[in-house]
Amino acid sequence: MTASDTTARQIPLSLFACALLYGGLCVLAGVLGTKIASLGTWPVLGGLAVESGIFAFLLLVVLSSAVAELHGRDTANRLVRFGFVPLIVSMVLLVSVIHVVPPAPFWGDQEAFARLLGQGARMQLAGLISYGTSQTLNVAVFSRMAAGADGGRMLWLRAWVASMASQIVDTILFISISFYGVVDAASGQAYPLGSMMEGQIIAKLVLSTIMVPPLIYVFVALGRRLDAPR
């Protein structure tokens, strides 16, 4: 057995799989966020709209909670920290491709490409801060509740409460950092941060309630199956 084989065997298969998916979703969340989805046909949500990156972000929340359940809080926090790597690399690559690499003469979609995928430095900073803070909070709340009176039971409740808290913090931080003091060019007035946050938070909390409780059981069960002796 080689040294590399020994090292590979020290990494649980479930953690390896979760890390791969987590890194990809970190990048995908930013790409999906360029589309604003209407939730008007969903029950309870009425005419609310939400950026589509929330679907990838909720999977990130579930994955970090599942890793905390399977491998402990410290490992989950390391997963969150490593998530900055694909985030920063993807930001650098997007900026380079948009502003440095010239488009082919026959390709006419440069403006649309830059408009959809290009983000200013302020929004990029907001994304990094809100990601790190909210995901760390999610792991902290989930793990703290596991150490409480329920003795680690009520998996769905711990994941749901942690997700709700992280979604609120993520929305407040991202919108505040991105748009505080920014004036709308059409109206000449500052963006209404309160109303922007309100709709986003309501939509995210409802989606957390729908998606997180069942998904946490799916990911934890899959993780335990992957790590089962063969």
Side-chain angles (χ1 to χ4, degrees):
M1 183 181 293
T2 65
S4 60
D5 291 335
T6 303
T7 302
R9 289 178 180 274
Q10 292 174 351
I11 303 175
L13 186 56
S14 65
L15 181 58
F16 179 73
C18 285
L20 286 178
L21 183 57
Y22 192 92
L25 287 170
C26 282
V27 176
L28 187 59
V31 176
L32 292 178
T34 60
K35 176 180 178 178
I36 306 300
S38 172
L39 302 179
T41 59
W42 291 45
V44 180
L45 291 178
L48 293 176
V50 65
E51 50 90 12
S52 299
I54 181 60
F55 298 105
F57 193 85
L58 283 175
L59 289 175
L60 289 176
V61 168
V62 174
L63 279 169
S64 60
S65 296
V67 170
E69 179 74 7
L70 295 169
H71 305 290
R73 178 176 179 173
D74 290 341
T75 301
N77 280 329
R78 282 196 293 272
L79 180 70
V80 171
R81 289 195 293 270
F82 279 124
F84 281 105
V85 176
L87 274 173
I88 293 173
V89 170
S90 64
M91 288 177 180
V92 172
L93 286 175
L94 279 172
V95 170
S96 300
V97 168
I98 291 172
H99 299 290
V100 178
V101 180
F106 56 83
W107 191 66
D109 292 327
Q110 170 70 12
E111 184 179 343
F113 181 82
R115 186 176 67 253
L116 287 175
L117 296 180
Q119 286 186 336
R122 182 167 174 174
M123 290 189 71
Q124 290 180 337
L125 176 64
L128 291 173
I129 293 174
S130 59
Y131 159 79
T133 305
S134 61
Q135 286 290 86
T136 301
L137 176 65
N138 175 74
V139 173
V141 173
F142 180 87
S143 301
R144 182 62 181 266
M145 291 182 68
D150 71 345
R153 297 185 295 274
M154 302 294 287
L155 178 62
W156 70 270
L157 180 62
R158 290 185 280 127
W160 176 65
V161 171
S163 174
M164 299 273 272
S166 68
Q167 291 302 303
I168 293 173
V169 170
D170 176 78
T171 302
I172 292 174
L173 286 176
F174 183 80
I175 291 180
S176 297
I177 298 172
S178 296
F179 300 108
Y180 179 78
V182 177
V183 176
D184 180 66
S187 65
Q189 298 180 344
Y191 280 103
L193 301 187
S195 59
M196 291 172 66
M197 292 179 189
E198 181 182 5
Q200 289 283 305
I201 288 175
I202 293 173
K204 289 179 178 181
L205 293 185
V206 174
L207 288 173
S208 293
T209 302
I210 295 171
M211 294 177 60
V212 171
L215 285 177
I216 187 64
Y217 282 107
V218 171
F219 279 98
V220 170
L222 286 174
R224 287 173 176 159
R225 184 166 184 174
L226 288 173
D227 293 338
R230 287 173 173 78

